[in-house]
Amino acid sequence: IRAAARNAVAKAAEGARQETALMRAWGVGPGELERMPFDQRARLAERLRTGRLAQWAQLIGRFRQMADGERAHKVENATGELVGVTLGNDLSRVIPSELANLGLPALRAVFAARYAAGELMLYDSQGEQRTGQGAVIACVDTSHSMYEAGPGGVTREAWAKACALALLDQARHAGRDFVGILFSAADKLQVFRFPADRPADIAQVLDFAETFLGGGTSYQRPLSAAGELLEVEFNDTTRARGDIVMLTDDDCGVTETWMRGWNEAKHRLGFRVFGLAIGAPRVAEADSVLDALCDNLRSVEDLTDVHAAADLFRVI
């Protein structure tokens, strides 16, 4: 009886550990679990175990950990990609070896003099400028080709959704609204809104992650929807300079008239567009439509690598 009891306890403990790890991967913290009624928790655990992206929980967790790490190591006010060292007096960008001088009494006066003269060694950077004002909008392609699996069996859809969920975390950390737009053909679009002033409902998060529309690919419909959302936000709150992230594996045409209107809206609202060509390098080529639409475009070929988008989380 004692042996059976020990086995039962060990099995229950292992089950609880796995459930907690699964919940954490999907962004459900211990505090939220403790407040959740048992029946609701059981239903949620079952949905997470059997849902569309259940097998990719580890990938989702790794993406979120990577994004969290990028936030933790972000150099405040150092925009874009770090490329070298320059001179100045911006204390937020001082390199560690300069700061070490503060720990030596004999060198503190030297540090102060270099600071006054603007001759401290600072991290230098180039690339995108941080805005952190308007909403973060992830446009996720859910056309049939996103079913395709890459290295390690990871599908293009799974990588894109994991990245989008990490962007949701990024937006909430910065106090910005997040919008997930799932798109495929021109007549297929679904919008999920996550306002910054309300907790993200886990059921809605799962609906966003599990919805797959199928069909072809249209750029105009999702990007127009994203632009309209940013325009409404600007009219209601005067917040501009949002960020749109386009995650797709296909290249498709846009009309000249639409492109003129898009560029006018982009200039008026000051938003940026980032592109991630997932498992399809040709989509990121210099003459592609996506390249013409994006301020920053990169190709992701190894779908087991969550760090392919790491710099995205340093500038959004």
Side-chain angles (χ1 to χ4, degrees), residues 29-41:
E32 188 175 354
L33 280 180
E34 290 174 2
R35 295 190 299 270
M36 194 178 293
F38 177 80
D39 290 347
Q40 181 183 353
R41 176 171 173 165

Side-chain angles (χ1 to χ4, degrees), residues 11-39:
K11 185 176 180 180
E14 177 61 18
R17 187 193 64 77
Q18 292 179 0
E19 179 183 288
T20 300
L22 182 63
M23 296 283 189
R24 188 182 300 114
W26 281 94
V28 183
E32 188 175 354
L33 280 180
E34 290 174 2
R35 295 190 299 270
M36 194 178 293
F38 177 80
D39 290 347

Side-chain angles (χ1 to χ4, degrees), residues 7-296:
N7 289 337
V9 170
K11 185 176 180 180
E14 177 61 18
R17 187 193 64 77
Q18 292 179 0
E19 179 183 288
T20 300
L22 182 63
M23 296 283 189
R24 188 182 300 114
W26 281 94
V28 183
E32 188 175 354
L33 280 180
E34 290 174 2
R35 295 190 299 270
M36 194 178 293
F38 177 80
D39 290 347
Q40 181 183 353
R41 176 171 173 165
R43 288 194 300 271
L44 175 59
E46 180 63 19
R47 183 175 181 184
L48 293 179
R49 282 193 294 266
T50 61
R52 178 181 181 82
L53 295 185
Q55 65 178 309
W56 309 120
Q58 185 180 24
L59 175 70
I60 293 168
R62 286 171 53 216
F63 242 111
R64 284 180 147 145
Q65 289 174 0
M66 177 274 293
D68 187 58
E70 291 299 319
R71 284 193 297 273
H73 293 92
K74 184 180 292 184
V75 179
E76 292 298 331
N77 302 319
T79 57
E81 179 185 2
L82 298 176
V83 295
V85 174
T86 186
L87 297 179
N89 59 5
D90 185 349
L91 295 178
S92 68
R93 294 193 289 135
V94 174
I95 67 174
S97 61
E98 287 276 30
L99 290 175
N101 291 336
L102 288 175
L104 301 173
L107 295 178
R108 288 173 187 167
V110 176
F111 182 94
R114 287 167 60 81
Y115 171 76
E119 295 179 350
L120 293 175
M121 288 191 291
L122 314 176
Y123 284 118
D124 195 12
S125 63
Q126 69 178 9
E128 306 92 351
Q129 297 293 312
R130 285 187 68 201
T131 57
Q133 298 292 322
V136 177
I137 302 179
C139 297
V140 182
D141 187 349
T142 59
S143 60
H144 280 312
S145 59
M146 292 291 284
Y147 274 126
E148 188 171 331
V154 179
T155 66
R156 296 173 179 180
E157 178 202 5
W159 196 97
K161 295 277 185 67
C163 183
L165 291 173
L167 286 168
L168 167 59
D169 290 347
Q170 188 83 350
R172 301 198 72 77
H173 186 270
R176 303 169 67 182
D177 291 349
F178 176 82
V179 181
I181 298 178
L182 304 180
F183 70 95
S184 57
D187 60 341
K188 294 184 178 182
L189 189 85
Q190 197 157 343
V191 179
F192 296 83
R193 302 188 187 196
F194 299 89
D197 60 356
R198 294 202 298 269
D201 180 65
I202 183 61
Q204 187 184 15
V205 171
L206 287 172
D207 287 342
F208 168 62
E210 293 175 353
T211 299
F212 192 87
L213 303 176
T217 306
S218 167
Y219 283 177
Q220 290 186 194
R221 181 86 189 280
L223 290 175
S224 293
E228 289 167 5
L229 287 167
L230 292 176
E231 179 119 37
V232 169
E233 181 182 41
F234 176 75
N235 292 336
D236 290 347
T237 67
T238 69
R239 288 199 300 267
R241 298 181 298 166
D243 290 309
I244 299 173
V245 182
M246 190 78 166
L247 301 111
T248 183
D249 69 341
D250 200 4
D251 202 35
C252 62
V254 297
T255 68
E256 185 177 342
T257 301
W258 180 89
M259 193 68 177
R260 282 199 300 270
W262 172 255
N263 287 331
E264 289 171 2
K266 193 168 181 290
H267 176 74
R268 184 174 66 257
L269 299 173
F271 59 80
R272 303 176 299 178
V273 184
F274 298 86
L276 289 160
I278 304 170
R282 59 179 176 75
V283 178
E285 292 175 355
D287 60 348
S288 69
V289 175
L290 192 60
D291 180 60
L293 291 169
C294 295
D295 301 300
N296 182 293

